[in-house]
Amino acid sequence: MIKNQRLDLILKLISEKKHISVNELSSTLGYAKSTIRADLNLLAEAGKIIRTHGGASLSNNENSSSTLFESRIKTCVAEKKEIASKAISKIKNDECIILDASTTCYELAKLIAKSSLRITVLTNGYLIADTLKSNKNISTVIIGGLLSSDSYWVEGTMGVYILDNFNITKAFISSRAINENGLDDFNIYAVQLKKVFIEKSNEIYALIDNTKFDKNSAANICNLSEINYLITDSKLSNNVKKYYEKLGVEIL
């Protein structure tokens, strides 16, 4: 059983029982308690569950389809706005760009919508697409797929064939975590789609706020070497910045 399958099964068991212990999960799934604890910590970090002493309970976020995304919109707002203001300066007229469905790209989309830029935007975020529709200079293309039940985005790679019709100059993507091995995210479907974004784009801009550095999540999106530029906020410590620059990352 691969890790993401195990995480999905753990979520299913918690949804059914509302609360379950580490011991019961270990016995049911046949994995060490340390492995189960690490999985529960990942799920808790993603807002899917609530860690309790010796186990986990279903998060209240699971009772509302959009609560998790709306909560993330309200997190690190100033940092995301700062990152977005840097990112928009890298976009030129007549370019075709990708914006993933992250809340940081949502802040970038709000700036693009108010700008005089004449560009094409490909996105899997329908909130982002809705934000851009008011600007007649922006041609917005929604990448098709399965509409996520817990966010404002389309997941999976079913609609990625449409990317072959465009010359994509830049992709702006975010992630749940960044570490020496690259960018990580929790949702395997998001990871698969972002891998395609990276493959199809000439330049990759990672939009990562300071709280995500030296963290891990369930699946790897890409190595640091696949990122052309990393845009972060001014709260990132100099020590962390220098560390990633030594790893070959160009930080803006």
Side-chain angles (χ1 to χ4, degrees):
M1 185 187 299
I2 64 173
K3 186 172 186 176
N4 283 285
Q5 290 175 330
R6 189 173 68 245
L7 292 171
D8 287 342
L9 187 52
I10 289 173
L11 265 181
K12 182 179 179 181
L13 290 170
I14 295 175
S15 296
E16 291 173 353
K17 295 177 175 288
K18 307 305 180 187
H19 180 272
I20 194 167
S21 69
V22 170
N23 289 341
E24 184 175 353
L25 284 170
S26 177
S27 175
T28 301
L29 300 179
Y31 283 89
K33 294 176 184 178
S34 59
T35 300
I36 297 299
R37 291 190 189 96
D39 288 344
L40 292 178
N41 289 338
L42 278 174
L43 291 169
E45 180 185 332
K48 297 289 185 180
I49 63 168
I50 297 172
R51 282 289 269 126
T52 62
H53 181 68
S57 299
L58 188 66
S59 169
N60 290 332
N61 288 339
E62 293 301 296
N63 297 323
S64 172
S65 63
S66 58
T67 300
L68 181 56
F69 186 84
E70 290 171 351
S71 174
R72 283 163 46 205
I73 285 178
K74 299 173 184 177
T75 302
C76 298
V77 176
E79 290 84 350
K80 291 173 183 175
K81 288 182 181 294
E82 181 184 348
I83 291 169
S85 67
K86 292 180 182 180
I88 195 172
S89 69
K90 304 303 176 183
I91 303 172
K92 301 176 182 177
N93 279 330
D94 300 319
E95 285 192 313
C96 177
I97 69 170
I98 287 176
L99 299 183
D100 74 6
S102 63
T103 54
T104 308
C105 278
Y106 173 58
E107 292 297 337
L108 177 54
K110 290 194 286 187
L111 294 182
I112 293 172
K114 296 176 182 178
S115 75
S116 59
L117 285 168
R118 185 179 64 254
I119 59 173
T120 297
V121 177
L122 309 174
T123 185
N124 64 312
Y126 67 83
L127 185 58
I128 287 175
D130 186 63
T131 300
L132 296 172
K133 71 181 182 181
S134 61
N135 190 326
K136 295 181 179 179
N137 290 324
I138 310 297
S139 298
T140 305
V141 180
I142 298 178
I143 301 165
L146 178 66
L147 186 62
S148 172
S149 62
D150 65 354
S151 218
Y152 293 95
W153 61 293
V154 174
E155 64 183 19
T157 57
M158 288 183 288
V160 295
Y161 65 87
I162 198 170
L163 301 180
D164 293 330
N165 298 309
F166 298 91
N167 294 317
I168 304 166
T169 54
K170 300 178 175 79
F172 295 86
I173 64 173
S174 190
S175 69
R176 294 289 182 91
I178 182 172
N179 52 68
E180 62 183 9
N181 296 316
L183 302 181
D184 289 351
D185 214 314
F186 173 79
N187 186 299
I188 187 61
Y189 301 110
V191 169
Q192 291 172 344
L193 188 55
K194 291 178 186 186
K195 284 180 180 289
V196 178
F197 290 169
I198 291 169
E199 177 188 347
K200 299 292 185 180
S201 305
N202 293 336
E203 290 184 339
I204 308 303
Y205 288 77
L207 311 184
I208 312 293
D209 71 64
N210 73 89
T211 66
K212 299 176 179 179
F213 281 77
D214 295 332
K215 301 286 180 65
N216 296 279
S217 196
N220 180 259
I221 299 169
C222 67
N223 297 323
L224 293 178
S225 61
E226 296 176 76
I227 302 168
N228 296 102
Y229 303 98
L230 193 157
I231 302 179
T232 189
D233 59 87
S234 55
K235 291 184 179 180
L236 183 69
S237 73
N238 285 331
N239 288 340
V240 174
K241 182 180 179 181
K242 289 178 181 178
Y243 174 75
Y244 281 86
E245 287 176 334
K246 286 182 179 178
L247 293 175
V249 181
E250 184 167 348
I251 300 179
L252 304 178

